[in-house]
Amino acid sequence: MPDDPDADGLTVGQVSTRLGVTVRALHHWDEIGLARPSLRTTAGYRLYTAGDLERLHRVVVYRELGLGLDTIAAVLDDATADVPGALRAQQAQVAERIERLKQLSAGLDRMIEAHERGLLLTAEQQAAIFGTEWNPDWTAQARQRYGDTPQWQQYAERSASRGPEEWQAVTDEVAAFDRVLADAMDAGVTPGSPEANRLVERHREVFASYFPLTRQMQVCLARRYEADPGFAAHYDGVRPGLASWFRRIVDAGARAHGIDPDTATWQ
C-alpha cells in the first residue's frame, strides 16, 4: 500500500470536500458497507479509487432524491432490483410531502393574515354572522389597540382555523348565553349565589372562544360592558339593566376567589 495518500486515491477529507459530504457520513457508509474505500496506506489512511468515487457519486445522487440507504444499496448491488419502481415509489412520497407542504404554506398564510387582520371573513360574511350593526372596522381598531398583547395572539390563533360556519357557531353560543343571563336576572338570581357564580364561570368558558379569560380580566371586561356605550347598548338590548347586573355577579364571584374588584387589573 502506498504511503502517499494522493498517489493512488483520495483521502476521506478530499472526498468529503469534492462531493460535499461530511466525513462522518463517509465513515458511516464505510461501516455499513454501502461505499467503502478500496485502498489503505501502510499508515492506515483510507483511500478512494476512481471506481469508489463513481459509486459515491451514485450514492449521493440517490440520497439527494430521498432514497433510504437500504434502498440505495439494493439499487447499486442487486442486479434484479427494480430501479424505476423504487424511483416511482420515492416520487409518490415526494408528491405527498409536496401536498403536505402546500397545506402547511396555506395554514401559515391564514395564520399570518389572522394576526394582521383578526377576522378572516369578508364584510358581507361579517354582517351575515354578527348582524347589520356590526362594523367591520372594529377588528382593525382592536388590532391597532391590542395587536401586541398575548390575548390578540391567542385570538388570532383561534381565528386562523375558523371559517363562516365556525364563527356562526361561536356567535350562536354567545347569543344563547346572553339569553341565559337575561333569564337568570329576570328570575331574581342574586350576585354571590351558587347559581350566579356558575353563570360567571360559564361566561369565562364561552368567552374562551376568543381567548382565555382570567377572573381579574373578567372583572375588567364586565366593567367595560357596563361603562362602554356600545357594549351597554348590546346587553341592555337583550334585557334592560343586564350590563349592570352582569357586572355585579362578576364582582361577587371575584370576591369569592379572593379578588378585590376595585383593584382588579387586566392580568
PDB file of all heavy atoms in Angstrom, residues 209-231:
ATOM      1  N   SER A 209     -63.741  31.189  23.558  1.00  0.00           N
ATOM      2  CA  SER A 209     -63.752  31.079  22.103  1.00  0.00           C
ATOM      3  C   SER A 209     -62.895  32.176  21.475  1.00  0.00           C
ATOM      4  O   SER A 209     -62.439  32.030  20.340  1.00  0.00           O
ATOM      5  CB  SER A 209     -65.186  31.191  21.569  1.00  0.00           C
ATOM      6  OG  SER A 209     -65.979  30.103  22.002  1.00  0.00           O
ATOM      7  N   TYR A 210     -62.692  33.275  22.207  1.00  0.00           N
ATOM      8  CA  TYR A 210     -61.864  34.380  21.710  1.00  0.00           C
ATOM      9  C   TYR A 210     -60.445  34.283  22.264  1.00  0.00           C
ATOM     10  O   TYR A 210     -59.479  34.300  21.512  1.00  0.00           O
ATOM     11  CB  TYR A 210     -62.497  35.709  22.108  1.00  0.00           C
ATOM     12  CG  TYR A 210     -63.915  35.856  21.619  1.00  0.00           C
ATOM     13  CD1 TYR A 210     -64.985  35.739  22.502  1.00  0.00           C
ATOM     14  CD2 TYR A 210     -64.187  36.085  20.277  1.00  0.00           C
ATOM     15  CE1 TYR A 210     -66.294  35.871  22.055  1.00  0.00           C
ATOM     16  CE2 TYR A 210     -65.492  36.208  19.821  1.00  0.00           C
ATOM     17  CZ  TYR A 210     -66.540  36.088  20.714  1.00  0.00           C
ATOM     18  OH  TYR A 210     -67.835  36.199  20.271  1.00  0.00           O
ATOM     19  N   PHE A 211     -60.323  34.177  23.572  1.00  0.00           N
ATOM     20  CA  PHE A 211     -59.036  33.943  24.229  1.00  0.00           C
ATOM     21  C   PHE A 211     -59.314  33.617  25.695  1.00  0.00           C
ATOM     22  O   PHE A 211     -60.378  33.957  26.221  1.00  0.00           O
ATOM     23  CB  PHE A 211     -58.089  35.151  24.104  1.00  0.00           C
ATOM     24  CG  PHE A 211     -58.636  36.453  24.592  1.00  0.00           C
ATOM     25  CD1 PHE A 211     -58.642  36.778  25.946  1.00  0.00           C
ATOM     26  CD2 PHE A 211     -59.135  37.387  23.691  1.00  0.00           C
ATOM     27  CE1 PHE A 211     -59.142  37.991  26.399  1.00  0.00           C
ATOM     28  CE2 PHE A 211     -59.638  38.610  24.127  1.00  0.00           C
ATOM     29  CZ  PHE A 211     -59.637  38.905  25.485  1.00  0.00           C
ATOM     30  N   PRO A 212     -58.390  32.939  26.374  1.00  0.00           N
ATOM     31  CA  PRO A 212     -58.607  32.585  27.785  1.00  0.00           C
ATOM     32  C   PRO A 212     -58.787  33.838  28.634  1.00  0.00           C
ATOM     33  O   PRO A 212     -58.074  34.832  28.458  1.00  0.00           O
ATOM     34  CB  PRO A 212     -57.321  31.834  28.165  1.00  0.00           C
ATOM     35  CG  PRO A 212     -56.776  31.329  26.866  1.00  0.00           C
ATOM     36  CD  PRO A 212     -57.132  32.385  25.851  1.00  0.00           C
ATOM     37  N   LEU A 213     -59.742  33.765  29.562  1.00  0.00           N
ATOM     38  CA  LEU A 213     -60.106  34.922  30.376  1.00  0.00           C
ATOM     39  C   LEU A 213     -59.895  34.589  31.850  1.00  0.00           C
ATOM     40  O   LEU A 213     -60.571  33.725  32.408  1.00  0.00           O
ATOM     41  CB  LEU A 213     -61.572  35.290  30.116  1.00  0.00           C
ATOM     42  CG  LEU A 213     -62.074  36.637  30.621  1.00  0.00           C
ATOM     43  CD1 LEU A 213     -61.438  37.775  29.817  1.00  0.00           C
ATOM     44  CD2 LEU A 213     -63.599  36.713  30.514  1.00  0.00           C
ATOM     45  N   THR A 214     -58.954  35.290  32.486  1.00  0.00           N
ATOM     46  CA  THR A 214     -58.761  35.109  33.919  1.00  0.00           C
ATOM     47  C   THR A 214     -59.890  35.805  34.667  1.00  0.00           C
ATOM     48  O   THR A 214     -60.629  36.626  34.107  1.00  0.00           O
ATOM     49  CB  THR A 214     -57.423  35.704  34.376  1.00  0.00           C
ATOM     50  OG1 THR A 214     -57.466  37.128  34.229  1.00  0.00           O
ATOM     51  CG2 THR A 214     -56.261  35.140  33.553  1.00  0.00           C
ATOM     52  N   ARG A 215     -60.010  35.523  35.965  1.00  0.00           N
ATOM     53  CA  ARG A 215     -61.066  36.164  36.750  1.00  0.00           C
ATOM     54  C   ARG A 215     -60.836  37.667  36.863  1.00  0.00           C
ATOM     55  O   ARG A 215     -61.787  38.450  36.840  1.00  0.00           O
ATOM     56  CB  ARG A 215     -61.144  35.519  38.137  1.00  0.00           C
ATOM     57  CG  ARG A 215     -61.684  34.089  38.089  1.00  0.00           C
ATOM     58  CD  ARG A 215     -61.951  33.531  39.476  1.00  0.00           C
ATOM     59  NE  ARG A 215     -62.571  32.225  39.370  1.00  0.00           N
ATOM     60  CZ  ARG A 215     -61.885  31.074  39.267  1.00  0.00           C
ATOM     61  NH1 ARG A 215     -60.556  31.093  39.272  1.00  0.00           N
ATOM     62  NH2 ARG A 215     -62.508  29.917  39.158  1.00  0.00           N
ATOM     63  N   GLN A 216     -59.570  38.071  36.996  1.00  0.00           N
ATOM     64  CA  GLN A 216     -59.296  39.515  37.062  1.00  0.00           C
ATOM     65  C   GLN A 216     -59.640  40.180  35.739  1.00  0.00           C
ATOM     66  O   GLN A 216     -60.219  41.279  35.711  1.00  0.00           O
ATOM     67  CB  GLN A 216     -57.822  39.756  37.412  1.00  0.00           C
ATOM     68  CG  GLN A 216     -57.469  39.377  38.847  1.00  0.00           C
ATOM     69  CD  GLN A 216     -56.352  40.240  39.401  1.00  0.00           C
ATOM     70  OE1 GLN A 216     -56.469  41.468  39.429  1.00  0.00           O
ATOM     71  NE2 GLN A 216     -55.282  39.600  39.842  1.00  0.00           N
ATOM     72  N   MET A 217     -59.282  39.547  34.647  1.00  0.00           N
ATOM     73  CA  MET A 217     -59.634  40.092  33.344  1.00  0.00           C
ATOM     74  C   MET A 217     -61.142  40.146  33.173  1.00  0.00           C
ATOM     75  O   MET A 217     -61.683  41.090  32.575  1.00  0.00           O
ATOM     76  CB  MET A 217     -58.992  39.234  32.237  1.00  0.00           C
ATOM     77  CG  MET A 217     -57.475  39.362  32.174  1.00  0.00           C
ATOM     78  SD  MET A 217     -56.675  38.010  31.266  1.00  0.00           S
ATOM     79  CE  MET A 217     -57.390  38.229  29.637  1.00  0.00           C
ATOM     80  N   GLN A 218     -61.834  39.149  33.714  1.00  0.00           N
ATOM     81  CA  GLN A 218     -63.299  39.133  33.610  1.00  0.00           C
ATOM     82  C   GLN A 218     -63.915  40.325  34.346  1.00  0.00           C
ATOM     83  O   GLN A 218     -64.883  40.923  33.864  1.00  0.00           O
ATOM     84  CB  GLN A 218     -63.841  37.821  34.176  1.00  0.00           C
ATOM     85  CG  GLN A 218     -65.337  37.624  33.965  1.00  0.00           C
ATOM     86  CD  GLN A 218     -65.820  36.329  34.580  1.00  0.00           C
ATOM     87  OE1 GLN A 218     -65.298  35.878  35.600  1.00  0.00           O
ATOM     88  NE2 GLN A 218     -66.817  35.720  33.953  1.00  0.00           N
ATOM     89  N   VAL A 219     -63.355  40.676  35.494  1.00  0.00           N
ATOM     90  CA  VAL A 219     -63.842  41.847  36.234  1.00  0.00           C
ATOM     91  C   VAL A 219     -63.683  43.096  35.367  1.00  0.00           C
ATOM     92  O   VAL A 219     -64.613  43.919  35.258  1.00  0.00           O
ATOM     93  CB  VAL A 219     -63.068  42.011  37.555  1.00  0.00           C
ATOM     94  CG1 VAL A 219     -63.370  43.369  38.196  1.00  0.00           C
ATOM     95  CG2 VAL A 219     -63.427  40.889  38.524  1.00  0.00           C
ATOM     96  N   CYS A 220     -62.506  43.248  34.749  1.00  0.00           N
ATOM     97  CA  CYS A 220     -62.264  44.422  33.898  1.00  0.00           C
ATOM     98  C   CYS A 220     -63.224  44.433  32.712  1.00  0.00           C
ATOM     99  O   CYS A 220     -63.737  45.502  32.324  1.00  0.00           O
ATOM    100  CB  CYS A 220     -60.820  44.420  33.411  1.00  0.00           C
ATOM    101  SG  CYS A 220     -59.573  44.568  34.721  1.00  0.00           S
ATOM    102  N   LEU A 221     -63.481  43.265  32.150  1.00  0.00           N
ATOM    103  CA  LEU A 221     -64.376  43.183  30.994  1.00  0.00           C
ATOM    104  C   LEU A 221     -65.808  43.532  31.384  1.00  0.00           C
ATOM    105  O   LEU A 221     -66.502  44.256  30.661  1.00  0.00           O
ATOM    106  CB  LEU A 221     -64.314  41.770  30.407  1.00  0.00           C
ATOM    107  CG  LEU A 221     -64.947  41.570  29.035  1.00  0.00           C
ATOM    108  CD1 LEU A 221     -64.203  42.384  27.978  1.00  0.00           C
ATOM    109  CD2 LEU A 221     -64.933  40.086  28.663  1.00  0.00           C
ATOM    110  N   ALA A 222     -66.262  43.028  32.535  1.00  0.00           N
ATOM    111  CA  ALA A 222     -67.618  43.329  32.995  1.00  0.00           C
ATOM    112  C   ALA A 222     -67.784  44.825  33.250  1.00  0.00           C
ATOM    113  O   ALA A 222     -68.843  45.409  32.983  1.00  0.00           O
ATOM    114  CB  ALA A 222     -67.928  42.539  34.261  1.00  0.00           C
ATOM    115  N   ARG A 223     -66.728  45.469  33.766  1.00  0.00           N
ATOM    116  CA  ARG A 223     -66.762  46.915  33.959  1.00  0.00           C
ATOM    117  C   ARG A 223     -66.956  47.615  32.605  1.00  0.00           C
ATOM    118  O   ARG A 223     -67.731  48.573  32.497  1.00  0.00           O
ATOM    119  CB  ARG A 223     -65.446  47.394  34.570  1.00  0.00           C
ATOM    120  CG  ARG A 223     -65.245  46.951  36.017  1.00  0.00           C
ATOM    121  CD  ARG A 223     -65.337  48.144  36.950  1.00  0.00           C
ATOM    122  NE  ARG A 223     -64.982  47.831  38.308  1.00  0.00           N
ATOM    123  CZ  ARG A 223     -65.697  47.104  39.156  1.00  0.00           C
ATOM    124  NH1 ARG A 223     -66.793  46.513  38.734  1.00  0.00           N
ATOM    125  NH2 ARG A 223     -65.340  46.942  40.409  1.00  0.00           N
ATOM    126  N   ARG A 224     -66.258  47.106  31.613  1.00  0.00           N
ATOM    127  CA  ARG A 224     -66.371  47.735  30.298  1.00  0.00           C
ATOM    128  C   ARG A 224     -67.754  47.482  29.696  1.00  0.00           C
ATOM    129  O   ARG A 224     -68.305  48.356  29.023  1.00  0.00           O
ATOM    130  CB  ARG A 224     -65.283  47.206  29.362  1.00  0.00           C
ATOM    131  CG  ARG A 224     -65.256  47.940  28.031  1.00  0.00           C
ATOM    132  CD  ARG A 224     -64.110  47.533  27.165  1.00  0.00           C
ATOM    133  NE  ARG A 224     -64.096  48.309  25.936  1.00  0.00           N
ATOM    134  CZ  ARG A 224     -63.334  48.050  24.892  1.00  0.00           C
ATOM    135  NH1 ARG A 224     -62.487  47.024  24.930  1.00  0.00           N
ATOM    136  NH2 ARG A 224     -63.388  48.800  23.815  1.00  0.00           N
ATOM    137  N   TYR A 225     -68.297  46.289  29.913  1.00  0.00           N
ATOM    138  CA  TYR A 225     -69.653  46.010  29.421  1.00  0.00           C
ATOM    139  C   TYR A 225     -70.647  47.060  29.933  1.00  0.00           C
ATOM    140  O   TYR A 225     -71.555  47.469  29.219  1.00  0.00           O
ATOM    141  CB  TYR A 225     -70.111  44.625  29.885  1.00  0.00           C
ATOM    142  CG  TYR A 225     -69.491  43.460  29.149  1.00  0.00           C
ATOM    143  CD1 TYR A 225     -69.721  42.163  29.595  1.00  0.00           C
ATOM    144  CD2 TYR A 225     -68.691  43.640  28.029  1.00  0.00           C
ATOM    145  CE1 TYR A 225     -69.172  41.074  28.940  1.00  0.00           C
ATOM    146  CE2 TYR A 225     -68.130  42.556  27.376  1.00  0.00           C
ATOM    147  CZ  TYR A 225     -68.367  41.272  27.832  1.00  0.00           C
ATOM    148  OH  TYR A 225     -67.814  40.198  27.187  1.00  0.00           O
ATOM    149  N   GLU A 226     -70.451  47.464  31.170  1.00  0.00           N
ATOM    150  CA  GLU A 226     -71.378  48.423  31.776  1.00  0.00           C
ATOM    151  C   GLU A 226     -71.079  49.852  31.351  1.00  0.00           C
ATOM    152  O   GLU A 226     -72.002  50.648  31.108  1.00  0.00           O
ATOM    153  CB  GLU A 226     -71.308  48.325  33.298  1.00  0.00           C
ATOM    154  CG  GLU A 226     -72.291  49.249  34.011  1.00  0.00           C
ATOM    155  CD  GLU A 226     -72.149  49.165  35.524  1.00  0.00           C
ATOM    156  OE1 GLU A 226     -70.995  49.103  36.011  1.00  0.00           O
ATOM    157  OE2 GLU A 226     -73.183  49.169  36.218  1.00  0.00           O
ATOM    158  N   ALA A 227     -69.787  50.202  31.241  1.00  0.00           N
ATOM    159  CA  ALA A 227     -69.412  51.599  31.019  1.00  0.00           C
ATOM    160  C   ALA A 227     -69.367  51.993  29.552  1.00  0.00           C
ATOM    161  O   ALA A 227     -69.659  53.150  29.215  1.00  0.00           O
ATOM    162  CB  ALA A 227     -68.053  51.877  31.668  1.00  0.00           C
ATOM    163  N   ASP A 228     -68.995  51.058  28.675  1.00  0.00           N
ATOM    164  CA  ASP A 228     -68.877  51.390  27.261  1.00  0.00           C
ATOM    165  C   ASP A 228     -70.264  51.475  26.625  1.00  0.00           C
ATOM    166  O   ASP A 228     -71.049  50.526  26.717  1.00  0.00           O
ATOM    167  CB  ASP A 228     -68.041  50.317  26.556  1.00  0.00           C
ATOM    168  CG  ASP A 228     -67.810  50.649  25.089  1.00  0.00           C
ATOM    169  OD1 ASP A 228     -68.699  50.332  24.264  1.00  0.00           O
ATOM    170  OD2 ASP A 228     -66.747  51.193  24.769  1.00  0.00           O
ATOM    171  N   PRO A 229     -70.590  52.588  25.965  1.00  0.00           N
ATOM    172  CA  PRO A 229     -71.936  52.745  25.399  1.00  0.00           C
ATOM    173  C   PRO A 229     -72.313  51.636  24.424  1.00  0.00           C
ATOM    174  O   PRO A 229     -73.466  51.180  24.416  1.00  0.00           O
ATOM    175  CB  PRO A 229     -71.858  54.103  24.689  1.00  0.00           C
ATOM    176  CG  PRO A 229     -70.777  54.844  25.407  1.00  0.00           C
ATOM    177  CD  PRO A 229     -69.771  53.803  25.788  1.00  0.00           C
ATOM    178  N   GLY A 230     -71.357  51.190  23.608  1.00  0.00           N
ATOM    179  CA  GLY A 230     -71.660  50.147  22.639  1.00  0.00           C
ATOM    180  C   GLY A 230     -71.986  48.821  23.301  1.00  0.00           C
ATOM    181  O   GLY A 230     -73.004  48.183  22.975  1.00  0.00           O
ATOM    182  N   PHE A 231     -71.136  48.401  24.256  1.00  0.00           N
ATOM    183  CA  PHE A 231     -71.393  47.149  24.962  1.00  0.00           C
ATOM    184  C   PHE A 231     -72.674  47.246  25.798  1.00  0.00           C
ATOM    185  O   PHE A 231     -73.478  46.308  25.826  1.00  0.00           O
ATOM    186  CB  PHE A 231     -70.214  46.797  25.871  1.00  0.00           C
ATOM    187  CG  PHE A 231     -69.055  46.181  25.147  1.00  0.00           C
ATOM    188  CD1 PHE A 231     -67.843  46.848  25.039  1.00  0.00           C
ATOM    189  CD2 PHE A 231     -69.163  44.929  24.563  1.00  0.00           C
ATOM    190  CE1 PHE A 231     -66.775  46.288  24.376  1.00  0.00           C
ATOM    191  CE2 PHE A 231     -68.102  44.351  23.901  1.00  0.00           C
ATOM    192  CZ  PHE A 231     -66.891  45.038  23.795  1.00  0.00           C
TER     193      PHE A 231
END
